[in-house]
Amino acid sequence: MQVCHTVRDVREVLPRLPRPLGLVPTMGALHAGHLSLVAASVAANHTTAVSIFLNPSQFGPSEDLSRYPRNLQADLALLGQAGVDLVFAPEAGELYPPGFATWVTVEGPPAVRLEADRRPGHFRGVATIVAKLLLIVGPDAAYFGQKDAQQLAVVRRMVADLNIPVTIVAEPTVREPDGLALSSRNVYLQPAERQAATVLSRSIARAQRCYQSGERAPLAILEAMRAEFRSAPLAMLDYVALADPATLQPVGTLAGETLALVACHVGTTHLIDNAPLAAPHPLTEARIVS
Ligand code: AMP
């Protein structure tokens, strides 16, 4: 496995590696969710590249950039075992040198509402860094997690709008046995908060059960999702939503494919989750690690 820290090194190494090429963008602090994306790429491509870049431009001034977990050596060990061919781990100054002034902004849906309302500038940072990584690496396919449903939709929109020749592949959310979606931020949770955090997946499972028992009124399903939070006083609900998976805008009727989404704060930690409302078995489609 080759580890590159500069764009120049990546451009020198990549042409020697066989295509097709898969790229897995990450911010490091790798867990089984990231590794499921890597496994999907390794299975489908001759070469897999993983980027590890804690992207400052997607963190707001009040967000957790400085305390975000970092462990490059542990990440490299995991990626070596997973069959990755190239890791791109640049410093911030490599991708945002002095004078940097060009941004990619998705101005309408799916980059409005939900996370966009709570994290101003976040999706501008995401779209810009993903566009840069796609231009630097030039993969045939890039792998993203469904856990970050709005990010996935923003990336799909940006790639379509800019005619970037890459296939975006979405992989299912990997969960703990109690339903909590794996996230690099879960390490922030104190034991009681970790317990409370199961309310996200419980809220989604409740929406799915509601739907499967015949409820078709969005407001009734949203109320059921909110009700689940009454059992978890440590979790401060930010939003529940039923939204179209491509635009992330709320649906008025439950006619087409619909995502149930939830976001909350547990202590100072912002957590999000989502799943299709009409999943045949609530959350059991997700991959569980134990
Ligand atoms: P991050 O390092 O948090 O930026 O995540 C990098 C990629 O891993 C994104 O495409 C995420 O959606 C994906 N990811 C994060 N958590 C999970 C999870 N629990 N299951 C599957 N994919 C995930």
Side-chain angles (χ1 to χ4, degrees):
M1 184 173 80
Q2 312 220 32
V3 181
C4 298
H5 298 286
T6 64
V7 175
R8 195 179 155 161
D9 284 353
V10 172
R11 293 222 161 111
E12 198 178 298
V13 169
L14 268 180
R16 288 189 244 122
L17 297 173
R19 312 283 298 200
L21 164 64
L23 171 67
V24 182
T26 82
M27 297 202 299
L30 300 182
H31 53 63
H34 299 114
L35 295 178
S36 76
L37 306 184
V38 170
S41 174
V42 168
N45 297 283
H46 283 306
T47 298
T48 291
V50 174
S51 59
I52 298 177
F53 181 63
L54 192 48
N55 177 32
S57 73
Q58 70 189 70
F59 287 77
S62 63
E63 291 186 41
D64 55 354
L65 175 62
S66 62
R67 72 164 182 163
Y68 198 89
R70 303 164 202 238
N71 196 341
L72 184 60
Q73 289 317 313
D75 290 347
L76 293 179
L78 288 170
L79 296 177
Q81 287 160 17
V84 169
D85 305 284
L86 183 141
V87 175
F88 178 39
E91 293 295 330
E94 176 70 10
L95 295 188
Y96 298 105
F100 182 89
T102 303
W103 296 96
V104 178
T105 310
V106 177
E107 297 205 334
V112 294
R113 297 190 166 193
L114 306 178
E115 291 304 291
D117 284 347
R118 270 138 208 94
R119 306 181 70 187
H122 172 67
F123 288 121
R124 180 180 87 144
V126 168
T128 301
I129 197 61
V130 173
K132 281 172 68 75
L133 291 169
L134 293 174
L135 288 167
I136 292 163
V137 176
D140 300 287
Y143 294 77
F144 293 86
Q146 282 165 1
K147 175 183 166 270
D148 298 284
Q150 195 168 10
Q151 168 175 284
L152 170 66
V154 167
V155 168
R156 286 195 193 282
R157 180 80 262 159
M158 184 268 293
V159 161
D161 290 351
L162 298 183
N163 306 98
I164 300 180
V166 65
T167 302
I168 300 301
V169 182
E171 289 293 319
T173 300
V174 178
R175 298 174 180 281
E176 302 275 9
D178 66 3
L180 179 66
L182 265 62
S183 163
S184 306
R185 292 190 166 90
N186 291 350
V187 298
Y188 302 149
L189 300 171
Q190 301 299 318
E193 295 175 340
R194 166 66 186 79
Q195 175 58 32
T198 58
V199 70
L200 290 115
S201 60
R202 284 192 278 117
S203 173
I204 292 167
R206 186 141 164 194
Q208 292 172 323
R209 284 198 302 274
C210 233
Y211 181 81
Q212 281 148 34
S213 60
E215 181 62 67
R216 292 294 180 272
L219 290 180
I221 297 177
L222 291 169
E223 185 43 39
M225 293 177 77
R226 274 188 215 103
E228 199 63 38
F229 276 76
R230 290 185 205 122
S231 67
L234 283 183
M236 300 297 144
L237 179 62
D238 291 323
Y239 60 77
V240 288
L242 299 175
D244 177 281
T247 65
L248 268 294
Q249 301 311 290
V251 292
T253 57
L254 300 179
E257 202 189 324
T258 304
L259 288 181
L261 301 108
V262 58
C264 71
H265 278 81
V266 185
T268 55
T269 305
H270 179 59
L271 297 172
I272 58 173
D273 201 355
N274 75 88
L277 192 54
H281 306 291
L283 291 182
T284 52
E285 282 183 329
R287 287 184 222 163
I288 310 271
V289 286
S290 49

